[in-house]
Each structure stands twice: as structure tokens, then as C-alpha cells.
Amino acid sequence: MRLWVLSNILLNHHYKEGGDSKALERAALLGEQALQITPETPVTVQRHALLFAQAVILYHKFERFPDLGHLDQSITLASEAIDIAPKTLTARRIFLNVLATGLQRRYAALFVQNDVERAIDAYDAILNITDDNHPSLPGYLNNLGMALLDRYCLLGEMADLERSITVREKMLLVTPDEHPAKPMFINTFCRALLERHKALGSKEDLDRCIELQEIVVAITPDSHYGKSDMVELLGAAYTSRFEIDKNLSDLDQAIDLFTEKATLTGAQDVSQGAAEFCLAEVFLSRFHHTGEVSDMHRALELFEVCTTLLCSPWNRFVAAMRWAVMASELAKVDLQECAASQFKACTAAMDLLPQLSWLGSPIETRREVLKRAQNITTIAVSRAILVEEYSTALAWVEQGRSVMWAQLLQLRVPVDDLRLVDPSLAQKLSYLAEQLSLNSTKAGVLVTKGDAVTSGYSDLEAEGTRHRQLVAEWTDTVEQVRRLDGFSRFLQPKNAEELCVAAHSGPVVIVHVNEYDADAFILVPGERQQIVLSLGEFTSDDVYRLRGLLAQVTEEDLAYRAPSSSRAAFPGPFEDLEPYEIFESILSELWYKIVSPVLQALAYNVPDGAVKSRIHWCPTGPLALLPLHAAGDYSKIEPGFKVFEYVVSSYTPTLSALIPPSKTEDPPDDDVTLLAVAVSSPTGQYPIPGTHEEIESISNRFSEIQKQERFAALTESAATPDRVLAGMKKANWVHFACHGVQNLVSPTDSALLLSGTSQLKLSDIVETSLPSAELAFLSACQTAAGDKDLPEESVHLAAGMLLAGYKGVIATMWSIMDRDAPAVSDDVYRYLLRDATRRPDYREAAYALHHAVARLREKHGTRSYLSWVPFVHFGM
């Protein structure tokens, strides 16, 4: 009890009144000691009070030293205090308020839906036990209104916005005019009105907002802590009114108000960037209205300032994006200045990209942020090409590709060189990488809504907190490594020269398309510089048009699928064209606009014999959803008009995935082992015909070369996740003949469907050590189908298997026909196992698929595009 008293004295008198940060640190230490000596069981009367007191101290510590670890601890302790405190406790609403406030602050940092949901639930619980005449009721209503507005901004549900306004109207009714916080309450109410005006175009809401906000700003002294927010909101309201009435006086008043906000906001205040950003937008509006070039220059200067301030990485990134986009207006004045300004803006944006997808954030949050930011890579690369910064352009292409996968790949970095210099640091890094690999695929999963103020969330809370702690340790350890001699670029994004090594086994072609034109970066073996090839006026609109046509074909194809099968598909007529005609138009355009110019640049000719040249395609953006490997003019009978006549094609999600490790791997000293998994009828799915035939054919291939002992199979009820993972640990190659499901929101939850209702999730595979992994054959539907909303991220099972450690993957771009899967599989393994005197080589898988698909074309005819085009190879 004495420690608790001392802790509270330090917090309330020495820190709150005197601002002594050392007193805050001491209070936290004493509070921790008090908890340590207070038994958890049986629950004592004072333990919940100690937990709550320490939660408050840690919240203040977060406010003073913005470290999410302090906020995580505060939320955890507040949750525990509420969980064990008597339901009739008078102070329960105070406990709930501390929890809800902490959750709101963490939501503002991480944008995790769970946090705002729990905050709303906690505020609702407070209001359920608070009388209408309670002095704190206005504050609770205000906080609930803010949380509802946060959720509206996240999910766009009008019901949240309407309830936010209703709650705040009640707040104003129960708040006396003399209440010191009433101006702030009116300010938050006006913010909700302005949001409803933006959503519904309600002039009444806008007029009421301006009327109330003018009064609030006039009566609030500059010394008031909320004055800058009030001024900002009034400026935003004037800007909105200008968009309706086009009265320049509104813009002039907005400029005055945002300028005032900038002076009210301290130079070290994290909200400072808001004033500069709003001011820049107003100058832009005035430029578009008057054509005054000086306003444009002023706006760009302010956007640039915003990228250097203390505001959040997202706000700085948005400013850089606006700077890059709006600098195009300078083209009318000075083309060279326009290009230079845009390149500088893109540099700022690309530097911020890794921070947007912080490894400590849940996967679904990272995906949503990257979805909002995905256009920057396209803009940045095109601007770098425009100013002939080709090496930077190539590095940016790679940096903007598969950001989430790249983060997880970092956790698999070899530490052999580091171990020679600092063994203890190497050991620590390996430990943290292993722990993060286990946590990175799980932290922050949205749970089923339950009681937001009890221990129902304790496991999730602990998981998220532990994950963020590991990320902090990982970041600190990587910085320590970079301070060592020779390790300054450890885990840094690769530069162009380092990326050129990806072409060690043949050319690698990165195709970049933007709104104006397209370019190809061609890497060739032995060269340290890329070839940059302009592909002319083939634009992102063309890519989306072709993607729409392909979707029309493949989705129409589903309508003709046999009801007894999930892989079978039969072509049917379209309104104007047959499916094969649509296919041919797509493949022809890809041939003439992209593939043929690349092959010409490489001086490739159709070989006299078998095709031996190998090429890796790395298409960017929505182009990743189109079949470059099948491009050709199929109206031509003579050779020389189809890509497969020149090269064997593979894909790669990133260049880094092709770069060999710095330490040469020893050749395996034993023969290949293969695990085959077949599940034809998982619960709730259509049966897949031919899976057992497929597995039997593979078994026969091993028998033919007297290596039956190197083959193992798990089928139907025997194919449980545990057994499959155990088999994968031992096998070099794995073959799946089953259903696959893709989770676009949480990619590592994508799965292969096994026995009964069980699933083998990608996260389970990634978390498993697979030291022998070489080749994966995914004979399931759409295992290489990307996310149309986030194509740069390669969120499909094939890319995930590369992440898990497999060096090569055979997969499918869309639903495959059941009659074809066993045939392709048999031909692939016939090729790979053709020579019993040597160890089968996974690096020949691309050639094996090339031959198997050729046989499929011979069998069904070249125009059977739905049969042979979906089969693709990824990796080495």
C-alpha cells in the first residue's frame, strides 16, 4: 500500500503539477513493484485498484514518451482491472473510460478495427451505468461520438455518422454553457456535421457548422489547448463552402485561419503538418480558380514542408503524393521544373513506403494502407524514367512490389557472415526472426465480438503486444548490425546493381505500365546495368481493359462448369464472340505491345530444335493478372509469332526472390523425396475427379526409375494438417491435388483444403522449418490468381510457397479442367524423372511444364486456351 501511495504522489504532484518526467518514471517503477508484491489469487480488494493506477501511469508515460509499449501495457492492465473489479464498483466507469481512451489512442496509431470496436463498447457500457445528471456525462458522450466518427471514417457506415451526431446533440443539451469544455464539445459536433455535409452534400449542415464554429473560435482564447483544432475546422468549412459558391473570400479566410493554426501549433507538435497541408490545398484551389502560378508554387512548397514534419508517416506520405501529382501542373509552365519536382516528391514518398506497412501492424491493416498507397510506385517509376534516373526507377519497382512478402522474407535472412563477426548478435537476430515468423501471420486478427471489457480479448491483446515488442527489438537489433563494419546495407532495400544479379540463369523482364505508356527493364546475365525499353503507348487503361476481357472469359467459363466438379470447365458462347476469339485478341495485344518488342531487344530467334532459352517475367500492377507467358498472334500459322516458340517462361513476384544466397549452397547428398497429397471431397465442396489418378501416375513415375521409396502419399482422411506438415519437413518436393482457397484480406490465411473441414493455411507452412524444400506443384484452382484490388502484393498461394522456402512452384492462374490436371502432372514428372542415373533437378521444372503444356496443346488444340494457358511456373 505504501508503494502505491508514493506512486500516486509522484504522478499527481511531481509530474502532473510540476512536469517532472523523472517522477513519472519513478511512479511507474513503484507501481510495478506494488503489483509484484500483491498476490493475484485470491483476488484482493486492492489489486484491481493497483492495476488501474498503474494503467493510468502508463497512459501518461505514453503521452510523454510516445512508445506503443507503454500504451499496450496500460490497456492490458486496465482490462485486467475491469475484469476482476466488482460489477457494482462505483469507480467502474472511470476504469472503463481509461481503457476506452487508451484504445482510441492506439487506434489512431495502428488503425486496427478491434480497438475502435472495443472503445465504442466500453463507452456504451459507461453510459449504461451513468445517470443523465452525472457531471461527467458530457465528456463520455463526446468520447463516444469521436469513436463513432473514427469507425465511420474507417468503414464508411452512415449509421455510425448519424449516431455520432445524435450522441453529440445530446451532449450539447446536457452541457451547461459555463462548462469549460463546451467550446471543444461544439468543435467536435461541428466536425461531425462537416463530415455529413461531405457525405450527403447537405448545405444545411455546412451552414450550421460555420455558424457554430465562428462563435467558438471568437470566444476561445489563443492560449486554449484546443484553439488550433477549432481554427483548422473553421478553415476546412470555409474551403468546403468555396467549392459550392466559388466565393474567393472564403478561400482568403481559410488561408488566414490555416496560417493562424500554423502559428498556434508548436514546431515540435505532431499535429503541425495538418495546418501546412490544409494551407497547401487552399492555395491549390485558388490556383485552379485564378490561374495564379505563385499559388501553385506556394502549395508545392508547403507539401514539401509537410513531408519533413513530425506528423504521422501516413500524413507525410499523403503530402508527398499530393506534391507528386499536383507538380504535373507545372508542365504548363516549365516541363523540366515539373519533372524535377515530381521526382523529388516521389523520392520522399518512396522513402516513407516501408513505414506505412510497419511490421508491427496487423496484416489486414498493412494491406489496407498499401491498397491506398499502391499508385505511388507507378507514379514514382514513371517520373524516374522521365528524368533518366533508370537505376533509381529499377530500385523503386522492386521496393514497391510485394511489400508484405518482403517483410516476411527479411525474417529468413541468413546470418552466416554476421556470425563470423558477432556470434551473439547473430544468435539474437535468428531468435527474433524465428519468433516474428510465428507472430507476423497472426497478430491483430479480428475476433468475434464479445464483451469488450472483460478478458475475452486477453489472448488477442497479449498476442498483439508481444508482436509489437518483438518488432521493436528486431528493429533495434538490425540497427546494431548496421553499425558493424561491412554491414551498413544489412537488410536495406537492394540497389540496381544488386538487383541485376537476379538474372543469373537468364534474362529477367520487369514490365512497368502507367497511365501514359509502358517500359520494360531487361536484366541480362553478367551485366550490372539494365536495358530500359520503351514499349510505347500501352497504358494502364489498356491493361484494365484486357483484364476485364479475361475476367469475362474465365468467369463465363464458370457458368459452364460441370456441377460434379470444381475444376472442370467447358467453353460456351458469348454474346458477340466465342471465348477463344476473346482470348486471341488478348494474347495478340500482349504479343505486339509487350512480348515481341522484348524478344526483339534480346535478339532472340526461333530455335531450330528444342527451346532452351529461359526468361522470367516480373509484371507490375494489374499486368500481373495477365498471361504474358502465352502471348502470341494465333492467327498466324508460320512460326515466330508465339512466345513459347522462343523461350521457356517463368514468373517471379520480386527480383529478390531470384537472387541466390551469398553463401553457395552445397548440392544435396541424397536423392529427391516427394510427398503427394490428394483430397477429392473435403466437407462442403464439390468432389474433384481425377485426384487419385493424378497421384497414382506420379507414383508410377518413381517406380519406373526404381525409386518408389522416395515417394510418399497422404490421401483423403489421412491428409490431416499435422501429417502433411510432418511429411513436408522431410520431402524436397510436394504435390497437392485438392481444393485451394485464397484469402485476399489476410493472405497468410489462404489455404489448401484437406481432410474433412481441416485447412492447411499458408501461415502454418511459413511457420514450419522446411530445410529441404525445393519444388511445390499446386494442382488446385487459382493458386496463382492475384488480388485485383492489390495486384502489386502477389497475394496468392504460389508466391506464398516461395516465401515458405520452396525455390520453384507450379500453379494455375484460374480454374483448371479436371481432365487436364492428371495429364499435365504426369508429363511434368515424366520430364523431371527421365534420367534415373542422376538426381532430379527442380530447376528443370519450368522446362518440364513447358513440355507438358505443349503436349496439352497438341491434345486439345491450340485454341483450347482455357485448358493450357492457366498453368504457370514461379521461381527458379
Side-chain angles (χ1 to χ4, degrees), residues 198-218:
K198 292 177 180 177
L200 304 178
S202 169
K203 187 68 161 54
E204 181 182 350
D205 283 335
L206 180 60
D207 290 341
R208 189 180 180 195
C209 170
I210 291 175
E211 180 185 358
L212 290 173
Q213 202 65 14
E214 285 177 336
I215 296 171
V216 167
V217 169

Side-chain angles (χ1 to χ4, degrees), residues 350 353 370 374 376-377 394-403 792-793:
M350 293 302 292
L353 192 58
L370 288 172
Q374 62 181 322
I376 186 56
T377 303
L394 178 62
W396 280 352
V397 167
E398 178 70 1
Q399 186 181 339
R401 292 281 295 158
S402 300
V403 175
E792 293 287 12
E793 279 304 297

Side-chain angles (χ1 to χ4, degrees), residues 743-761:
N743 189 320
L744 300 180
V745 175
S746 182
T748 53
D749 283 336
S750 297
L752 296 159
L753 304 188
L754 301 182
S755 173
T757 60
S758 63
Q759 296 185 356
L760 181 61
K761 292 185 177 181

Side-chain angles (χ1 to χ4, degrees), residues 278-532:
C278 294
L279 199 53
E281 291 289 358
V282 176
F283 278 117
L284 273 179
S285 293
R286 196 164 71 179
F287 163 75
H288 289 136
H289 190 72
T290 66
E292 179 56 52
V293 177
S294 62
D295 281 341
M296 165 58 71
H297 282 105
R298 181 68 180 130
L300 298 181
E301 288 170 4
L302 286 165
F303 283 135
E304 182 175 2
V305 168
C306 290
T307 65
T308 65
L309 296 176
L310 292 175
C311 50
S312 71
W314 174 253
N315 288 341
R316 282 182 280 148
F317 178 81
V318 170
M321 283 278 287
R322 289 291 288 158
W323 175 16
V325 171
M326 299 316 302
S328 62
E329 300 278 355
L330 290 174
K332 304 170 186 175
V333 182
D334 187 326
L335 189 60
Q336 188 173 358
E337 182 187 2
C338 168
S341 182
Q342 285 189 307
F343 179 69
K344 191 175 181 181
C346 290
T347 301
M350 293 302 292
D351 286 346
L352 287 163
L353 192 58
Q355 297 180 48
L356 298 186
S357 182
W358 179 54
L359 190 58
S361 298
I363 282 180
E364 62 270 23
T365 302
R366 281 180 267 164
R367 179 187 181 276
E368 186 59 33
V369 170
L370 288 172
K371 182 179 174 182
R372 297 181 188 181
Q374 62 181 322
N375 290 336
I376 186 56
T377 303
T378 301
I379 295 171
V381 172
S382 62
R383 298 319 182 257
I385 292 171
L386 191 63
V387 296
E388 299 183 354
E389 291 282 351
Y390 299 127
S391 293
T392 300
L394 178 62
W396 280 352
V397 167
E398 178 70 1
Q399 186 181 339
R401 292 281 295 158
S402 300
V403 175
M404 291 189 292
W405 289 143
Q407 289 173 332
L408 295 176
L409 277 171
Q410 281 192 339
L411 304 179
R412 294 175 172 266
V413 63
V415 294
D416 302 282
D417 294 337
L418 178 60
R419 189 174 286 112
L420 297 174
V421 176
D422 193 325
S424 62
L425 206 55
Q427 184 177 359
K428 182 179 181 182
L429 198 70
S430 296
Y431 168 76
L432 290 170
E434 180 182 357
Q435 295 300 307
L436 274 170
S437 292
L438 297 175
N439 279 270
S440 292
T441 59
K442 294 179 178 178
V445 176
L446 187 64
V447 299
T448 303
K449 187 173 178 181
D451 186 346
V453 295
T454 67
S455 58
Y457 282 86
S458 59
D459 290 344
L460 177 65
E461 190 66 53
E463 215 171 70
T465 298
R466 170 63 174 157
H467 178 68
R468 287 186 286 274
Q469 289 171 345
L470 286 168
V471 170
E473 286 188 66
W474 168 265
T475 303
D476 181 64
T477 305
V478 169
E479 287 301 319
Q480 291 180 51
V481 173
R482 289 174 181 166
R483 289 195 288 269
L484 298 174
D485 289 341
F487 287 86
S488 61
R489 289 196 51 76
F490 183 74
L491 294 186
Q492 295 278 24
K494 290 181 171 59
N495 58 37
E497 185 174 334
E498 292 169 322
L499 291 172
C500 285
V501 180
H504 58 88
S505 62
V508 180
V509 181
I510 305 96
V511 186
H512 174 263
V513 183
N514 62 63
E515 60 183 317
Y516 303 111
D517 54 22
D519 299 276
F521 297 87
I522 305 175
L523 313 184
V524 294
E527 296 292 333
R528 295 195 170 188
Q529 285 190 332
Q530 69 277 6
I531 301 169
V532 180

Side-chain angles (χ1 to χ4, degrees), residues 21-38:
S21 60
K22 290 183 179 179
L24 182 60
E25 295 278 11
R26 180 69 175 154
L29 180 62
L30 292 174
E32 184 178 348
Q33 291 173 353
L35 279 172
Q36 288 174 352
I37 63 174
T38 304

Side-chain angles (χ1 to χ4, degrees), residues 806-841:
Y806 288 91
K807 299 172 180 65
V809 181
I810 293 175
T812 61
M813 293 186 77
W814 58 77
S815 299
I816 54 177
M817 298 185 181
D818 295 318
R819 64 185 182 185
D820 298 330
V824 170
S825 168
D826 184 52
D827 286 332
V828 164
Y829 291 108
R830 183 205 310 271
Y831 186 96
L832 291 173
L833 302 175
R834 67 191 183 281
D835 186 351
T837 64
R838 65 178 180 87
R839 187 183 192 277
D841 191 344

